[in-house]
Amino acid sequence: MWDLRRGGETFSGEVTSAGEAMKADEALNMLYEMLQIYSPSGKEDEIASYLEERLYDLDFVNVRRDKAGNVYGEVGSGEYTILLCGHMDTVPGYLPVKWEDDKIYGRGAVDAKSSLAAMISAAKQLKSKIHNKGKIIVAGVVDEEGRARGIRQLIREGLSVNCAIFGEPSGVGNITFAYKGRILLTVKCRTKSGHVGAQHIYNNAIEAAFNLWMYIRDLCDQHRSPNGIFYSLTSSIIGIKSWRSMGGLPDRCRINVDLRVPPKFTSKDVIMLVKGAVEKAADDLNAEVSLRVLDRVEPFVARRDTLLMKSLSKAILEVTGREARFIRKTGTGDMNIFGSKMNIPVATYGPGNGRLSHTEYEYIDVSEYLMSIQVYERAIEKILCLTSN
C-alpha cells in the first residue's frame, strides 16, 4: 500500500513497489501545483513558466515556448514521433484547490490539467524505456477554451509527427473519436426608436432579436436527428446586449449564438442555412438585421481502425480490466482543428467525467488520474514497439 499526504489529507492505493509510490506522489504533486495556478484563457503565462521549469527538471529536451505561448518538451529519439497535446487554459471561474475523499478539486481538475499532467508523467516514465525507438513531444497549448490560438499556432510550427493524442476528459475507460463542430456568430437587430409609451407604434429591438432567435431555433429543430443529439444541429444564446440611442425603446440589440454542428454538415452549410433564416426574419420583423461569423470549427470524426486507436484500446483493457468504449462528444476540442488539417491518426483520451467540465463541482478521482498515466504509457509503448521493428 502507499499513502500520500497533502494538506492534512491521506490517500491510499495499491502499488507494486516503493518506486511506484514515489512516481504516484510526484505525479499527484505536479497536478496539485498546476491546479493552484489559475489560468483562464488569455492568462496562461504563469502556468507556462511553471511547465517550462518542470519539463527542464524532468530532463525533457528541446524545451521551448512558441509565439502563441505554447510550451513544448521532448523525450526519446528516432523517426516515429508521437504528439501528446493538452491545454493549459481553463474557463474563467476560480475554484479552491483541495484534496478530499480521494478526489482533487479545482478549476481544470477535469478540463483538462489532469490530462496534461498525466501526459507529462507518462512521457517522463517512458524516457528511460524507449531510447531510440521513437520520440514523444508533449505540448501544453493555450486558448483551447477560447478561439484556439494555441493549436492553430502548433500547426503553423510544422511539427513532424506520426500520430497525436489529445488530452481531454473521456473517462479512464473511454476513447473520444468524434466531436461536433462549432460556429460562433453575432446577429444585430436595428429598429426605429420612439417613446416607451408609444410601444404600440415602434418596434422594440430586443423583441425583434428574440423573435429572430426563434427563427434560428426553429431552423435547428428542423435538423434534429432521430439518432440523437450528436447528429442534430443545436443552438444556444450565449450573450445579449441592447442599446437605447434616444432614451426611448431599445433600437439596437445584439445576440451571440453558439451553434453545434453534426458531422453531416460543414460550417459553410450551416452558415448558409442561418443566413437564409435571418434574411427571412428581417422582412417579417421590420428590422435591419446583420450577421457576422466570429469563429468556426469543423466537426471531426477520427478513424477507429488505426494502430493508435488499437493501442489505446489494449492499454485500457490491461489497466482497467474492461473493454474500451468509443464515444462521441457534443462539444469541440483541439482534435477537430488538428485532425482536419493533418492526415495522421488522432485520438482524444484523458481522465475525468466530462460532465463536470466548466462546473463549480470540478474534481478528479486520484485513482483515475493515476490509471490514465498507465494507459498513456502502455499505449505509447505498444505503438513504438510495433513501429520500431
Side-chain angles (χ1 to χ4, degrees):
M1 294 290 290
W2 51 266
D3 291 314
L4 297 175
R5 293 181 175 83
R6 184 85 177 196
E9 300 293 336
T10 302
F11 307 90
S12 300
E14 294 289 342
V15 295
T16 57
S17 67
E20 290 297 319
M22 185 175 295
K23 293 175 188 176
D25 197 356
E26 291 174 352
L28 284 162
N29 285 339
M30 177 169 59
L31 174 59
Y32 191 88
E33 290 169 354
M34 288 171 64
L35 292 176
Q36 288 180 310
I37 302 172
Y38 183 53
S39 56
S41 302
K43 298 181 179 179
E44 300 98 337
D45 189 64
E46 183 180 356
I47 193 167
S49 296
Y50 168 84
L51 288 177
E52 277 186 302
E53 183 177 343
R54 195 63 187 255
L55 292 174
Y56 277 119
D57 291 343
L58 294 174
D59 295 324
F60 281 67
V61 298
N62 200 17
V63 177
R64 62 198 186 280
R65 199 186 307 194
D66 67 24
K67 62 183 181 182
N70 300 327
V71 175
Y72 305 88
E74 302 175 9
V75 297
S77 62
E79 292 185 4
Y80 197 91
T81 302
I82 299 172
L83 172 66
L84 301 180
C85 183
H87 62 92
M88 300 182 289
D89 65 315
T90 69
V91 294
Y94 174 77
L95 295 177
V97 182
K98 59 183 179 179
W99 284 14
E100 257 179 24
D101 300 325
D102 289 2
K103 295 178 174 63
I104 304 179
Y105 293 80
R107 179 62 69 208
V110 170
D111 191 9
K113 291 181 179 179
S114 56
S115 294
L116 179 55
M119 287 175 162
I120 294 170
S121 297
K124 187 256 186 183
Q125 298 307 324
L126 287 166
K127 184 177 184 295
S128 61
K129 299 178 182 180
I130 61 176
H131 301 296
N132 61 351
K133 291 182 178 179
K135 182 165 64 176
I136 302 169
I137 300 176
V138 176
V141 300
V142 302
D143 199 38
E144 191 274 346
E145 302 289 2
R147 301 288 181 85
R149 290 185 302 104
I151 194 64
R152 297 182 201 277
Q153 179 61 38
L154 182 147
I155 293 169
R156 286 192 289 269
E157 292 290 311
L159 299 180
S160 179
V161 300
N162 299 95
C163 68
I165 304 175
F166 290 85
E168 294 283 357
S170 60
V172 71
N174 307 318
I175 301 168
T176 303
F177 77 99
Y179 281 104
K180 294 179 80 170
R182 176 182 185 243
I183 300 169
L184 179 62
L185 54 85
T186 184
V187 183
K188 294 181 180 179
C189 290
R190 184 167 184 171
T191 60
K192 292 182 178 180
S193 183
H195 196 286
V196 176
Q199 56 196 251
H200 56 291
I201 299 175
Y202 296 100
N203 198 8
N204 187 321
I206 297 176
E207 294 176 2
F210 180 79
N211 289 328
L212 176 62
W213 157 245
M214 297 300 290
Y215 275 83
I216 295 173
R217 193 182 69 172
D218 289 346
L219 170 68
C220 291
D221 285 343
Q222 293 170 25
H223 294 280
R224 185 172 295 276
S225 170
N227 297 317
I229 197 70
F230 180 80
Y231 297 98
S232 300
L233 179 62
T234 57
S235 58
S236 297
I237 291 180
I238 59 171
I240 184 167
K241 184 176 182 180
S242 66
W243 297 265
R244 298 194 301 168
S245 59
M246 301 294 181
L249 284 170
D251 57 341
R252 296 183 186 183
C253 186
R254 181 186 69 216
I255 57 173
N256 292 334
V257 177
D258 181 291
L259 296 160
R260 297 293 163 151
V261 183
K264 68 179 180 179
F265 289 109
T266 66
S267 62
K268 183 179 179 180
D269 295 332
V270 175
I271 291 167
M272 293 303 294
L273 285 171
V274 173
K275 280 184 175 179
V278 166
E279 288 171 0
K280 184 177 186 303
D283 293 336
D284 294 346
L285 299 174
N286 191 27
E288 294 181 22
V289 178
S290 63
L291 179 149
R292 184 161 66 97
V293 177
L294 302 178
D295 194 25
R296 65 172 81 178
V297 176
E298 299 299 330
F300 183 77
V301 180
R303 290 179 55 183
R304 289 187 279 176
D305 60 351
T306 62
L307 174 61
L308 170 61
M309 291 289 193
K310 292 175 181 177
S311 298
L312 271 172
S313 298
K314 289 178 181 177
I316 287 170
L317 177 60
E318 291 174 2
V319 173
T320 69
R322 300 186 301 274
E323 294 282 349
R325 292 175 60 244
F326 288 92
I327 63 174
R328 304 169 181 85
K329 285 200 169 184
T330 57
T332 60
D334 280 343
M335 185 175 79
N336 291 60
I337 298 170
F338 186 91
S340 297
K341 292 285 187 182
M342 311 293 288
N343 186 28
I344 63 171
V346 293
T348 293
Y349 175 81
N353 180 351
R355 292 184 178 181
L356 299 175
S357 299
H358 304 190
T359 72
E360 58 183 315
Y361 308 106
E362 197 172 352
Y363 68 83
I364 189 74
D365 286 306
V366 166
S367 60
E368 183 168 350
Y369 169 63
L370 295 176
M371 290 171 73
S372 73
I373 297 173
Q374 296 179 54
V375 171
Y376 286 128
E377 282 188 57
R378 294 194 184 201
I380 292 169
E381 283 187 283
K382 293 177 188 300
I383 293 168
L384 295 183
C385 180
L386 290 171
T387 57
S388 63
N389 291 334

